[in-house]
Amino acid sequence: DIVMTQSPLSLPVSPGEPASISCRSSQSLLQSNGYNYLDWYLQKPGQSPQLLIYLGSIRASGVPDRFSGSGSGTDFTLKISRVEPEDVGVYYCMQALQTGFTFGPGTKVDIK
Amino acid sequence: QVQLQQWGAGLLKPSETLSLTCAVYGGSFSGYYWSWIRQPPGKGLEWIGEIKNSGTTKYNPSLKSRVTISADTTKNQISLKLTSVTAADTAVYYCARGLGGSGSYWGQGTLVTVS
């Protein structure tokens, strides 16, 4: 199984400030087609997870451009350029390379 | 707008069988991978398994001996069965369409408590 780790696990941020979450996989998620099979999800309080980023850096439909994903291989980053109050929740990375998808432990983002 | 609606029994006794169903409304059923994921209270997400359009299934090895995922294409529904449940199976269970793709959709989640 591919093991996913995230840091930090808790991230208090002030509105309007940037935020960054790191995700690491136990093996490379880079395929020969040049794509990294890494997704980012946000689970808002009391809701189902919603897809933010797929293939490492592509924003899902309707996702604000303040969210961006980067990285390759085993190291990835999700950045929020300016945190809004509605961005609070738990952020998960998920490897989509191998069926038997695995998720990181989650990073809880809340407002200071 | 695509919506996944799921339902099933929310309270089970140990050793009983968990049974959940998920249906898609406002979107296509065929041509997608369908998955089940669970989340124990206050914890992270665990992939349970998936079923492909062809009916081929894959399961989490830790649950494989107890899990069955099936599809009813006439009703545009998928189902999850988990046998011999214990308290460790207490979780919110989600169905999802297209997990790992460019636009996954998730159901609203069903809390299943084993007690």
Side-chain angles (χ1 to χ4, degrees):
Chain A
D1 286 3
I2 299 176
V3 178
M4 307 298 293
T5 56
Q6 290 180 231
S7 63
L9 299 183
S10 178
L11 183 59
V13 294
S14 299
E17 292 296 306
S20 180
I21 300 169
S22 175
C23 173
R24 183 167 292 180
S25 57
S26 61
Q27 64 186 74
S28 178
L29 303 183
L30 178 61
Q31 273 282 62
S32 57
N33 59 10
Y35 289 107
N36 287 280
Y37 284 75
L38 186 283
D39 297 344
W40 288 98
Y41 284 87
L42 165 60
Q43 186 174 31
K44 296 183 179 181
Q47 296 186 18
S48 305
Q50 58 187 83
L51 180 66
L52 294 176
I53 302 286
Y54 63 97
L55 295 177
S57 62
I58 303 175
R59 274 190 302 276
S61 176
V63 174
D65 60 7
R66 64 178 180 273
F67 291 94
S68 64
S70 63
S72 184
T74 61
D75 291 289
F76 300 91
T77 302
L78 176 71
K79 292 183 179 179
I80 310 173
S81 59
R82 295 174 306 279
V83 173
E84 301 285 341
E86 61 264 29
D87 299 337
V88 300
V90 182
Y91 290 77
Y92 294 95
C93 59
M94 183 196 83
Q95 66 82 12
L97 181 68
Q98 297 177 357
T99 303
F101 301 141
T102 45
F103 297 85
T107 295
K108 185 174 183 180
V109 172
D110 57 15
I111 299 295
K112 283 183 182 176
Chain B
Q1 184 175 344
V2 178
Q3 288 190 341
L4 273 61
Q5 188 74 29
Q6 48 182 110
W7 63 90
L11 180 61
L12 297 174
K13 292 180 171 56
S15 81
E16 291 185 334
T17 295
L18 178 156
S19 183
L20 297 174
T21 303
C22 171
V24 62
Y25 299 97
S28 178
F29 179 81
S30 60
Y32 291 94
Y33 290 62
W34 291 85
S35 304
W36 287 97
I37 304 101
R38 70 180 183 179
Q39 184 173 36
K43 296 188 177 181
L45 300 161
E46 179 183 32
W47 181 84
I48 298 171
E50 71 175 16
I51 186 165
K52 298 180 183 179
N53 198 35
S54 60
T56 303
T57 53
K58 288 190 177 180
Y59 300 123
N60 188 320
S62 69
L63 299 169
K64 187 174 182 178
S65 63
R66 299 192 292 130
V67 173
T68 302
I69 296 175
S70 59
D72 184 339
T73 56
T74 64
K75 296 182 179 180
N76 287 357
Q77 295 176 357
I78 62 165
S79 295
L80 170 70
K81 291 191 186 300
L82 181 67
T83 61
S84 304
V85 297
T86 70
D89 295 311
T90 293
V92 175
Y93 287 75
Y94 296 99
C95 61
R97 190 192 81 170
L99 189 66
S102 62
S104 66
Y105 289 90
W106 292 53
Q108 81 277 18
T110 301
L111 174 62
V112 177
T113 302
V114 181
S115 177

